[in-house]
Amino acid sequence: MDYNILLYYCYAPIEDLEAYRDEHHLFCIENNIRGRIIVSSEGLNGTVSGLKEDCEKYMAYVKADPRFADTEFKVDSHHEHAFAKINVRAKDEIVHSGLKHINPRVKTGKHLEPEEFKALKDEDDVVILDVRSNYEHELGHFKNAVRLDIDNFRDFPEKVRELEHLKEKKVLTYCTGGIKCEKASAFLLEQGFKDVYQLHGGIIKYGLEAGGADFEGKCYVFDNRLAVEVNQVNPKVVSKCFVCGTASDRMVNCANPECNEHVPICESCGWEMEGACSEACKEHPHKRSYNGTGYYQKNTNGYNPYKGFYQKPNATKIKSVLHGKPHS
């Protein structure tokens, strides 16, 4: 386990968006960090991988910027990179919610550390609310959690009207790493919910620090692992094979690239269906070759992370920042 996988976010204003995006991108290239990072005027959101020593450098780099000094990293061990390349993108939000008016640094639900969440979640006046999408909570969720029928987090605000009867309850929100809960819990408060909390660090931190008790199934993750174990105390499989209906938490990316659905498929059906989720996908002319894992590495197509970079007007400035000079 020579590699680490880092999951993190930080709400903090970034004014020099494009310049910082380029600087961040170059640092990752030069330190062999791979993954997906979103840079927005409201902050950072990333999942990256690298050798342990490179990840240490990366965490130090992020925290050295005063804007992101309080960033908390969830750190997991792995035997290889979890990504094929680095992708740093500038977007309107660090997680697409449609709630751009909400600033979690101004107002959000009360943060609960994993042990605090564990102690509070079974009280009579408590409701546990999963704010993730269907394909995530169908694979795994907290015991007795309320799960909304949403395909994307941006659908969450519309669904809150279904929770009106819970306004006087203690509402404990949770998601994978904590980022969705920042705005989800704030929106609940905005809609008149009185007592709103969030699991700080999400399911991943809960598993790492509190043993994962009562999280049933696996946690969907956005890297080549697809799903990870959380519960070391009382694990339970809650998802079913998409093909035959037997209990299975083996997440598979459909071999048909034009379908590309992520669904649980048991090992037997995986081989029988050649990694496809349906007969139509199995017969698709562009179906990818199934290797038993259900994960298909994207074609890098001669990917060159430096391409066009040094033609940018601010390239020299960025190089100087990364090699010793302070942030502008």
Side-chain angles (χ1 to χ4, degrees):
M1 294 292 188
D2 294 330
Y3 289 79
N4 280 156
I5 298 173
L6 310 178
L7 178 65
Y8 72 94
Y9 69 89
C10 182
Y11 279 98
I14 303 176
E15 295 178 0
D16 51 341
L17 191 58
E18 288 299 328
Y20 183 71
R21 191 220 74 85
D22 289 347
E23 176 198 317
H24 202 114
H25 179 77
L26 185 58
F27 182 92
C28 291
I29 295 170
E30 295 189 341
N31 290 276
N32 197 25
I33 296 294
R34 303 178 191 173
R36 300 187 189 99
I37 301 163
I38 297 173
V39 178
S40 164
S41 59
E42 65 179 11
L44 295 175
N45 176 18
T47 307
V48 301
S49 65
L51 288 166
K52 290 182 178 180
E53 55 268 33
D54 293 332
C55 284
E56 290 292 336
K57 292 177 187 175
Y58 179 74
M59 289 187 284
Y61 163 71
V62 171
K63 290 189 172 188
D65 189 318
R67 295 172 292 187
F68 317 122
D70 60 353
T71 302
E72 182 174 301
F73 290 87
K74 276 73 72 178
V75 183
D76 208 351
S77 297
H78 202 43
H79 62 280
E80 62 182 357
H81 263 297
F83 299 92
K85 57 186 180 180
I86 182 66
N87 196 330
V88 186
R89 291 181 177 175
K91 293 191 175 184
D92 289 340
E93 297 178 275
I94 55 175
V95 61
H96 187 19
S97 67
L99 300 172
K100 295 181 183 179
H101 67 288
I102 290 178
N103 182 352
R105 284 196 175 269
V106 175
K107 185 177 184 180
T108 191
K110 302 168 192 172
H111 288 76
L112 292 174
E113 294 301 322
E115 289 293 347
E116 294 175 312
F117 181 91
K118 184 178 178 181
L120 189 60
K121 66 182 178 60
D122 294 323
E123 291 188 3
D124 290 340
D125 61 340
V126 163
V127 172
I128 305 172
L129 176 62
D130 194 318
V131 305
R132 301 172 302 154
S133 304
N134 291 331
Y135 66 94
E136 297 173 88
H137 61 63
E138 287 172 1
L139 181 67
H141 51 261
F142 276 102
K143 181 180 178 182
N144 299 324
V146 173
R147 292 169 281 145
L148 300 175
D149 181 14
I150 57 177
D151 292 324
N152 296 283
F153 183 53
R154 62 178 176 268
D155 300 327
F156 175 80
E158 182 69 21
K159 285 290 182 176
V160 167
R161 66 180 63 183
E162 298 177 6
L163 307 176
E164 287 287 322
H165 61 293
L166 303 176
K167 278 191 171 180
E168 303 304 318
K169 298 277 191 178
K170 291 179 182 176
V171 180
L172 276 56
T173 65
Y174 74 90
C175 59
T176 306
I179 187 171
K180 292 178 180 177
C181 289
E182 297 284 5
K183 287 200 172 183
S185 62
F187 184 71
L188 289 172
L189 290 169
E190 188 179 85
Q191 298 303 304
F193 288 76
K194 304 292 191 296
D195 209 0
V196 183
Y197 303 79
Q198 57 180 293
L199 174 56
H200 184 49
I203 300 163
I204 299 300
K205 186 177 181 181
Y206 183 81
L208 292 171
E209 296 186 7
D214 292 329
F215 184 84
E216 300 178 334
K218 287 184 178 179
C219 180
Y220 182 92
V221 291
F222 299 87
D223 58 61
N224 67 9
R225 296 172 298 170
L226 297 183
V228 296
E229 299 280 0
V230 173
N231 192 333
Q232 303 168 40
V233 180
N234 53 352
K236 179 181 178 180
V237 178
V238 295
S239 50
K240 295 180 179 180
C241 174
F242 188 78
V243 178
C244 70
T246 60
S248 177
D249 56 9
R250 182 176 174 274
M251 205 66 173
V252 169
N253 189 178
C254 179
N256 173 8
E258 295 184 16
C259 169
N260 220 38
E261 289 288 339
H262 286 187
V263 292
I265 298 180
C266 69
E267 186 159 4
S268 176
C269 287
W271 287 109
E272 182 179 339
M273 297 295 292
E274 299 174 6
C277 69
S278 66
E279 288 294 338
C281 286
K282 183 179 179 181
E283 301 302 320
H284 196 278
H286 297 141
K287 181 173 65 68
R288 296 169 289 204
S289 178
Y290 180 64
N291 65 3
T293 67
Y295 175 78
Y296 303 94
Q297 186 65 65
K298 290 182 179 179
N299 191 337
T300 56
N301 294 320
Y303 168 69
N304 176 7
Y306 287 103
K307 185 177 181 181
F309 189 86
Y310 290 110
Q311 281 69 53
K312 292 191 174 187
N314 60 355
T316 302
K317 177 183 175 183
I318 292 168
K319 288 285 286 185
S320 68
V321 168
L322 286 173
H323 295 287
K325 295 183 179 180
H327 292 272
S328 60

